[in-house]
Amino acid sequence: MGEIQNIVILTGAGVSAESGIDTFRDAGGLWEQHRVEDVATPEGFARDPDLVLRFYDMRRAAIQAKQPNAAHHALARLDAEWPGELLIVTQNIDDLHERAGAKRLIHMHGEHLNAWCTGCDTRSPWTAPLIDRPACPACGVHGHLRPDVVWFGEMPYRMEEIYRAINRADLFVSIGTSGAVYPAAGFVREARASGARTLELNMEPSQGNHWFDEARQGAATWLVPEWVEEMLGG
Ligand code: APR
Protein backbone atom coordinates (compact mmCIF):
# COMPACT_ATOMS: atom_id res chain seq x y z
CA MET A 1 0.00 0.00 0.00
CA GLY A 2 1.15 3.55 -0.76
CA GLU A 3 2.12 6.06 1.95
CA ILE A 4 -0.37 5.49 4.78
CA GLN A 5 -0.49 7.95 7.68
CA ASN A 6 -4.07 8.01 8.93
CA ILE A 7 -6.19 4.90 9.50
CA VAL A 8 -9.87 4.50 10.37
CA ILE A 9 -11.05 1.04 11.42
CA LEU A 10 -14.76 0.14 11.64
CA THR A 11 -15.60 -2.93 13.70
CA GLY A 12 -18.83 -4.90 14.08
CA ALA A 13 -20.12 -7.93 15.93
CA GLY A 14 -17.84 -10.27 13.95
CA VAL A 15 -14.85 -8.96 15.92
CA SER A 16 -16.44 -10.18 19.18
CA ALA A 17 -17.90 -13.42 17.78
CA GLU A 18 -14.87 -15.54 18.75
CA SER A 19 -15.11 -14.15 22.28
CA GLY A 20 -18.47 -15.92 22.49
CA ILE A 21 -20.71 -12.88 21.95
CA ASP A 22 -23.57 -13.54 19.50
CA THR A 23 -23.63 -11.51 16.32
CA PHE A 24 -26.94 -10.09 15.11
CA ARG A 25 -27.53 -11.58 11.66
CA ASP A 26 -25.59 -14.83 11.58
CA ALA A 27 -27.56 -18.06 11.96
CA GLY A 28 -28.79 -18.18 15.54
CA GLY A 29 -27.89 -14.51 15.97
CA LEU A 30 -29.63 -12.07 18.27
CA TRP A 31 -32.11 -10.88 15.66
CA GLU A 32 -33.21 -14.45 15.06
CA GLN A 33 -34.26 -14.75 18.69
CA HIS A 34 -35.74 -11.29 19.24
CA ARG A 35 -37.69 -8.84 17.09
CA VAL A 36 -35.65 -5.66 16.59
CA GLU A 37 -38.86 -3.66 16.84
CA ASP A 38 -39.49 -5.05 20.32
CA VAL A 39 -36.06 -4.72 21.94
CA ALA A 40 -34.03 -2.17 19.96
CA THR A 41 -36.34 0.77 19.24
CA PRO A 42 -37.65 3.65 21.41
CA GLU A 43 -41.20 2.50 20.50
CA GLY A 44 -40.50 -1.01 21.77
CA PHE A 45 -39.12 0.44 25.01
CA ALA A 46 -42.18 2.63 25.47
CA ARG A 47 -44.47 -0.33 24.72
CA ASP A 48 -42.81 -2.85 27.04
CA PRO A 49 -39.92 -1.43 29.11
CA ASP A 50 -39.54 -4.60 31.18
CA LEU A 51 -38.95 -6.74 28.07
CA VAL A 52 -36.27 -4.31 26.85
CA LEU A 53 -34.60 -3.93 30.26
CA ARG A 54 -34.47 -7.72 30.72
CA PHE A 55 -33.00 -8.15 27.21
CA TYR A 56 -30.16 -5.74 27.99
CA ASP A 57 -29.72 -7.00 31.57
CA MET A 58 -29.10 -10.49 30.16
CA ARG A 59 -26.62 -9.24 27.57
CA ARG A 60 -24.84 -6.89 30.03
CA ALA A 61 -24.29 -9.83 32.39
CA ALA A 62 -23.15 -12.10 29.53
CA ILE A 63 -20.48 -9.79 28.14
CA GLN A 64 -18.89 -9.27 31.57
CA ALA A 65 -18.01 -12.97 31.51
CA LYS A 66 -16.34 -12.74 28.08
CA GLN A 67 -12.72 -11.97 27.23
CA PRO A 68 -11.12 -9.99 24.40
CA ASN A 69 -9.81 -12.21 21.57
CA ALA A 70 -6.71 -12.05 19.34
CA ALA A 71 -8.42 -9.57 17.01
CA HIS A 72 -9.10 -7.11 19.87
CA HIS A 73 -5.52 -7.49 21.10
CA ALA A 74 -4.04 -6.98 17.63
CA LEU A 75 -6.09 -3.80 17.13
CA ALA A 76 -5.02 -2.51 20.56
CA ARG A 77 -1.38 -3.16 19.59
CA LEU A 78 -1.82 -1.27 16.32
CA ASP A 79 -3.45 1.60 18.25
CA ALA A 80 -0.50 1.71 20.64
CA GLU A 81 2.25 1.44 18.01
CA TRP A 82 0.88 3.24 14.94
CA PRO A 83 2.71 6.61 14.62
CA GLY A 84 0.03 8.30 12.48
CA GLU A 85 -3.59 9.06 13.25
CA LEU A 86 -5.74 6.03 14.06
CA LEU A 87 -9.36 5.70 15.13
CA ILE A 88 -11.31 2.55 15.91
CA VAL A 89 -15.02 3.19 15.37
CA THR A 90 -16.95 0.29 16.83
CA GLN A 91 -20.62 -0.54 16.36
CA ASN A 92 -20.25 -2.97 19.27
CA ILE A 93 -21.56 -2.13 22.72
CA ASP A 94 -19.25 -4.57 24.53
CA ASP A 95 -16.06 -3.29 26.20
CA LEU A 96 -13.67 -5.84 24.70
CA HIS A 97 -11.70 -3.27 22.67
CA GLU A 98 -11.04 -1.28 25.88
CA ARG A 99 -10.18 -4.38 27.88
CA ALA A 100 -7.64 -5.32 25.20
CA GLY A 101 -6.09 -1.85 25.68
CA ALA A 102 -7.50 0.20 22.78
CA LYS A 103 -7.47 3.94 23.51
CA ARG A 104 -8.37 5.78 20.28
CA LEU A 105 -11.91 4.36 20.20
CA ILE A 106 -15.48 5.59 19.60
CA HIS A 107 -18.59 3.54 20.44
CA MET A 108 -21.00 4.91 17.82
CA HIS A 109 -23.88 2.70 19.02
CA GLY A 110 -23.32 3.33 22.74
CA GLU A 111 -22.03 1.09 25.49
CA HIS A 112 -23.53 -1.87 27.38
CA LEU A 113 -21.70 -0.88 30.55
CA ASN A 114 -23.23 2.60 30.70
CA ALA A 115 -26.72 3.66 31.80
CA TRP A 116 -28.42 6.83 30.58
CA CYS A 117 -30.79 8.76 32.82
CA THR A 118 -33.60 10.19 30.73
CA GLY A 119 -34.39 12.46 33.69
CA CYS A 120 -31.11 14.34 34.12
CA ASP A 121 -29.47 13.23 30.83
CA THR A 122 -26.37 11.91 32.65
CA ARG A 123 -24.58 8.76 31.42
CA SER A 124 -23.02 6.69 34.21
CA PRO A 125 -20.87 3.53 34.19
CA TRP A 126 -23.26 0.66 34.95
CA THR A 127 -22.78 -3.11 35.39
CA ALA A 128 -25.90 -4.09 37.39
CA PRO A 129 -29.44 -4.93 36.19
CA LEU A 130 -31.85 -2.11 35.35
CA ILE A 131 -35.06 -4.15 35.67
CA ASP A 132 -35.57 -3.16 39.31
CA ARG A 133 -35.48 0.55 38.39
CA PRO A 134 -32.40 1.56 40.45
CA ALA A 135 -31.73 5.21 41.28
CA CYS A 136 -29.67 7.32 38.87
CA PRO A 137 -26.17 7.84 40.43
CA ALA A 138 -26.30 11.52 39.40
CA CYS A 139 -29.82 12.73 40.27
CA GLY A 140 -30.98 9.94 42.59
CA VAL A 141 -34.32 9.52 40.84
CA HIS A 142 -35.61 5.95 40.29
CA GLY A 143 -37.06 4.67 37.02
CA HIS A 144 -35.37 6.96 34.50
CA LEU A 145 -32.33 4.79 33.70
CA ARG A 146 -32.21 3.09 30.27
CA PRO A 147 -29.41 1.25 28.46
CA ASP A 148 -26.97 3.75 26.91
CA VAL A 149 -27.41 1.99 23.55
CA VAL A 150 -28.34 3.68 20.25
CA TRP A 151 -31.60 2.07 19.07
CA PHE A 152 -32.92 2.01 15.53
CA GLY A 153 -34.24 5.42 14.66
CA GLU A 154 -31.88 7.14 17.12
CA MET A 155 -28.78 9.14 16.14
CA PRO A 156 -25.42 7.33 16.55
CA TYR A 157 -22.87 9.06 18.78
CA ARG A 158 -19.97 11.37 17.77
CA MET A 159 -20.70 11.28 14.05
CA GLU A 160 -18.93 14.65 13.45
CA GLU A 161 -15.65 13.25 14.82
CA ILE A 162 -16.10 10.04 12.83
CA TYR A 163 -16.64 11.81 9.50
CA ARG A 164 -13.71 14.16 10.20
CA ALA A 165 -11.46 11.12 10.76
CA ILE A 166 -12.76 9.36 7.63
CA ASN A 167 -12.14 12.47 5.53
CA ARG A 168 -8.50 12.49 6.72
CA ALA A 169 -8.00 8.73 6.30
CA ASP A 170 -5.51 7.19 3.88
CA LEU A 171 -6.81 3.71 4.76
CA PHE A 172 -10.27 2.56 5.85
CA VAL A 173 -10.60 -0.99 7.17
CA SER A 174 -13.96 -2.66 7.90
CA ILE A 175 -13.80 -5.69 10.19
CA GLY A 176 -16.58 -8.11 11.17
CA THR A 177 -19.62 -6.19 10.02
CA SER A 178 -22.37 -7.16 7.59
CA GLY A 179 -22.76 -3.68 6.12
CA ALA A 180 -26.48 -3.95 6.81
CA VAL A 181 -26.97 -0.86 9.00
CA TYR A 182 -26.42 2.81 8.15
CA PRO A 183 -24.71 5.18 8.71
CA ALA A 184 -21.83 2.74 9.41
CA ALA A 185 -22.48 0.84 6.16
CA GLY A 186 -21.88 4.06 4.21
CA PHE A 187 -18.47 4.87 5.75
CA VAL A 188 -16.62 2.97 3.01
CA ARG A 189 -18.08 5.28 0.37
CA GLU A 190 -17.12 8.37 2.41
CA ALA A 191 -13.61 6.94 2.65
CA ARG A 192 -13.39 6.32 -1.10
CA ALA A 193 -14.63 9.85 -1.77
CA SER A 194 -11.77 11.21 0.35
CA GLY A 195 -9.24 9.10 -1.57
CA ALA A 196 -8.60 6.44 1.04
CA ARG A 197 -7.76 2.86 0.18
CA THR A 198 -10.39 0.45 1.51
CA LEU A 199 -9.99 -3.06 2.94
CA GLU A 200 -12.63 -5.49 4.26
CA LEU A 201 -11.77 -8.29 6.70
CA ASN A 202 -14.84 -10.47 7.25
CA MET A 203 -16.02 -14.08 7.47
CA GLU A 204 -17.98 -13.56 4.26
CA PRO A 205 -18.40 -10.75 1.73
CA SER A 206 -20.48 -8.00 3.37
CA GLN A 207 -23.36 -6.22 1.67
CA GLY A 208 -20.93 -3.43 0.79
CA ASN A 209 -18.15 -5.74 -0.35
CA HIS A 210 -18.03 -4.34 -3.88
CA TRP A 211 -17.02 -0.88 -2.55
CA PHE A 212 -13.73 -2.23 -1.16
CA ASP A 213 -10.42 -2.16 -3.05
CA GLU A 214 -9.45 -5.38 -1.28
CA ALA A 215 -11.42 -7.99 0.72
CA ARG A 216 -10.12 -10.94 2.72
CA GLN A 217 -12.46 -13.67 4.00
CA GLY A 218 -11.82 -15.55 7.23
CA ALA A 219 -12.05 -15.39 11.00
CA ALA A 220 -11.12 -12.09 12.67
CA THR A 221 -8.70 -13.80 15.08
CA TRP A 222 -6.75 -14.95 12.03
CA LEU A 223 -7.12 -12.06 9.57
CA VAL A 224 -6.65 -9.15 12.01
CA PRO A 225 -3.33 -10.18 13.63
CA GLU A 226 -1.97 -10.98 10.15
CA TRP A 227 -3.03 -7.55 8.84
CA VAL A 228 -1.62 -5.73 11.90
CA GLU A 229 1.72 -7.54 11.38
CA GLU A 230 1.72 -6.26 7.79
CA MET A 231 0.99 -2.70 8.93
CA LEU A 232 3.69 -2.67 11.62
CA GLY A 233 6.20 -4.24 9.23
CA GLY A 234 6.50 -7.29 11.50
N1 APR B 1 -14.67 -13.29 12.09
C1 APR B 1 -14.94 -12.34 11.15
N2 APR B 1 -16.19 -12.00 10.77
C2 APR B 1 -17.21 -12.64 11.37
C3 APR B 1 -17.02 -13.65 12.35
C4 APR B 1 -15.67 -13.96 12.71
N3 APR B 1 -15.38 -14.90 13.63
N4 APR B 1 -18.24 -14.11 12.74
C5 APR B 1 -19.15 -13.41 12.04
N5 APR B 1 -18.54 -12.54 11.21
C6 APR B 1 -19.16 -11.58 10.30
C7 APR B 1 -20.42 -12.07 9.65
O1 APR B 1 -20.11 -12.72 8.43
C8 APR B 1 -21.20 -10.77 9.43
O2 APR B 1 -20.88 -10.21 8.17
O3 APR B 1 -19.54 -10.47 11.09
C9 APR B 1 -20.69 -9.85 10.53
C10 APR B 1 -21.71 -9.62 11.63
O4 APR B 1 -22.78 -8.93 11.07
P1 APR B 1 -24.01 -8.50 12.01
O5 APR B 1 -24.43 -9.67 12.83
O6 APR B 1 -25.00 -7.80 11.13
O7 APR B 1 -23.38 -7.44 13.03
P2 APR B 1 -23.03 -5.92 12.72
O8 APR B 1 -22.61 -5.76 11.30
O9 APR B 1 -22.10 -5.47 13.79
O10 APR B 1 -24.46 -5.17 12.95
C11 APR B 1 -24.45 -3.77 12.84
O11 APR B 1 -26.76 -3.71 13.50
O12 APR B 1 -28.31 -4.70 14.86
C12 APR B 1 -27.56 -3.56 14.68
O13 APR B 1 -26.80 -2.06 16.30
C13 APR B 1 -26.63 -3.36 15.84
O14 APR B 1 -24.33 -2.65 15.85
C14 APR B 1 -25.25 -3.55 15.24
C15 APR B 1 -25.47 -3.20 13.78
Side-chain angles (χ1 to χ4, degrees), residues 139-167:
C139 71
V141 174
H142 287 260
H144 287 168
L145 288 180
R146 60 164 269 188
D148 183 20
V149 171
V150 177
W151 286 328
F152 287 92
E154 296 183 326
M155 189 63 191
Y157 291 152
R158 300 173 63 182
M159 292 302 289
E160 294 284 310
E161 288 173 70
I162 293 169
Y163 283 122
R164 262 201 309 277
I166 291 174
N167 292 334

Side-chain angles (χ1 to χ4, degrees), residues 45-162:
F45 184 56
R47 193 167 48 245
D48 188 347
D50 281 16
L51 172 73
V52 175
L53 293 178
R54 286 193 209 291
F55 174 71
Y56 284 95
D57 284 354
M58 175 269 293
R59 291 183 63 205
R60 187 181 308 106
I63 69 161
Q64 292 177 70
K66 308 299 182 194
Q67 298 304 325
N69 63 51
H72 296 108
H73 288 297
L75 290 176
R77 177 185 164 215
L78 183 65
D79 182 15
E81 298 180 18
W82 185 256
E85 292 174 18
L86 182 141
L87 178 64
I88 300 170
V89 180
T90 189
Q91 299 172 89
N92 300 340
I93 55 180
D94 62 55
D95 64 339
L96 298 184
H97 281 303
E98 293 89 327
R99 281 163 53 198
K103 302 276 184 268
R104 296 183 275 183
L105 172 69
I106 289 180
H107 280 273
M108 64 180 287
H109 288 167
E111 299 178 59
H112 248 322
L113 301 180
N114 268 3
W116 175 20
C117 179
T118 53
C120 70
D121 201 27
T122 308
R123 288 166 171 78
S124 311
W126 197 268
T127 55
L130 289 171
I131 190 66
D132 43 18
R133 303 315 195 267
C136 165
C139 71
V141 174
H142 287 260
H144 287 168
L145 288 180
R146 60 164 269 188
D148 183 20
V149 171
V150 177
W151 286 328
F152 287 92
E154 296 183 326
M155 189 63 191
Y157 291 152
R158 300 173 63 182
M159 292 302 289
E160 294 284 310
E161 288 173 70
I162 293 169

Side-chain angles (χ1 to χ4, degrees), residues 11-15 17-18 23-26 31 36 91-92 109 150 152 175-181 201-206 218-221 223:
T11 67
V15 147
E18 290 161 271
T23 62
F24 294 93
R25 295 172 183 83
D26 287 319
W31 295 153
V36 169
Q91 299 172 89
N92 300 340
H109 288 167
V150 177
F152 287 92
I175 306 175
T177 180
S178 61
V181 174
L201 307 178
N202 206 55
M203 187 64 86
E204 63 198 5
S206 73
T221 55
L223 290 177

